[in-house]
Amino acid sequence: MRSVLFAAFALLPLPALAQGIPALTMTEADGGTSWSLSLQILALMTALTVLPSLLLGMTAFTRIIIVLSILRQALGTQQTPPNQVLIALALFLTFFVMQPVFVEVHDQALGPALDGQMPQAEALATAGEIIKRFMIEHTRQTDLLMFSDLAGEGPYANPEDVPFHVLLPAFLTSELKTAFQIGFLLFLPFLVIDIVIASILMALGMMMVSPVMVALPFKLLLFVLVDGWALTVGSLVAGYGLGG
């Protein structure tokens, strides 16, 4: 390893060794700091790695993907729909639910920042406040109080005073609770079908026949007759105040 590093440094010209790597420079101008393009790209790529966590933790994705996964398990269809389809549906529903929030972020923060009418720090703070309002609106008060007590902070005078390090776990916990409540309601009718089919097979003495295989067509028939996908998706979207 040392020989590889020595060879790499040996290939650099002496001026580069004396002045540093030109691609990674930082200059001071008018009391401010100016980063080179390479450092800006590096910072941007680092920020992109955090985006999946932000999508999972600050949007409606968590609730939607959990409800869809529980629905597939209740139907007993194994890997149908496949994970890729469920994730794609959850992503598109997340964008649909979050579209008003994204539009507000663009109009009040991203657009002015790109046009040079607003400093980047102020635009970031404005976008954070918009997303925070959405999260607080869909966070249970009990979960928010629990995490504020654990952090040794609060009570807060205004919802805007809640910091992100308290709001994020409270929002995720609230979303998980809501998702499992919806999943429980989805599971009940399919559980009744499983119990009825198992009882009929037991009464007929058909011990070797799998109740799961026999119940699957009836569950699919029930789900199609009631237009289950539309009901599920509509309920998820309506839970965030859309469509009303």
Side-chain angles (χ1 to χ4, degrees):
M1 182 66 182
R2 292 181 179 177
S3 60
V4 174
L5 292 176
F6 178 79
F9 279 106
L11 293 176
L12 290 175
L14 291 179
L17 291 176
Q19 301 178 5
I21 302 176
L24 302 176
T25 58
M26 183 177 62
T27 59
E28 298 286 341
D30 300 331
T33 303
S34 176
W35 299 84
S36 67
L37 181 61
S38 299
L39 280 178
Q40 294 178 12
I41 294 176
L42 180 62
L44 178 61
M45 296 301 295
T46 304
L48 288 177
T49 60
V50 187
L51 284 179
S53 299
L54 295 178
L55 177 63
L56 293 175
M58 301 174 66
T59 63
F61 182 83
T62 301
R63 182 194 301 187
I64 294 173
I65 190 62
I66 290 178
V67 170
L68 294 179
S69 300
I70 293 177
L71 175 60
R72 182 177 65 179
Q73 186 175 0
L75 285 171
T77 54
Q78 302 300 324
Q79 295 298 318
T80 303
N83 292 330
Q84 293 85 346
V85 175
L86 286 185
I87 293 175
L89 178 59
L91 282 174
F92 292 139
L93 287 177
T94 300
F95 291 142
F96 182 81
V97 170
M98 300 296 297
Q99 192 263 348
V101 179
F102 292 156
V103 170
E104 188 176 358
V105 169
H106 179 271
D107 293 342
Q108 299 186 17
L110 182 59
L114 293 177
D115 295 337
Q117 302 174 0
M118 180 183 294
Q120 294 183 0
E122 183 180 352
L124 184 61
T126 303
E129 291 299 323
I130 296 173
I131 298 176
K132 183 185 291 186
R133 287 201 303 267
F134 167 82
M135 296 172 64
I136 291 177
E137 184 180 354
H138 300 286
T139 302
R140 286 182 170 84
Q141 190 72 19
T142 54
D143 296 327
L144 196 59
L145 290 175
M146 180 186 69
F147 281 99
S148 63
D149 291 340
L150 291 176
E153 302 178 3
Y156 305 103
N158 300 308
E160 293 78 11
D161 298 333
V162 181
F164 269 108
H165 73 273
V166 173
L167 181 58
L168 276 172
F171 175 74
L172 275 176
T173 304
S174 181
E175 288 291 279
L176 287 173
K177 184 176 182 179
T178 303
F180 275 89
Q181 288 177 344
I182 298 174
F184 170 76
L185 296 177
L186 287 175
F187 230 107
L188 281 180
F190 302 113
L191 180 61
V192 171
I193 293 178
D194 286 333
I195 294 175
V196 171
I197 295 298
S199 301
I200 293 175
L201 293 178
M202 290 278 293
L204 295 176
M206 303 174 64
M207 304 297 183
M208 303 302 294
V209 179
S210 173
V212 176
M213 294 299 298
V214 178
L216 179 58
F218 294 97
K219 290 191 287 186
L220 291 178
L221 178 62
L222 172 65
F223 193 69
V224 171
L225 288 178
V226 300
D227 200 3
W229 286 113
L231 289 176
T232 304
V233 170
S235 299
L236 286 171
V237 172
Y240 290 97
L242 277 70

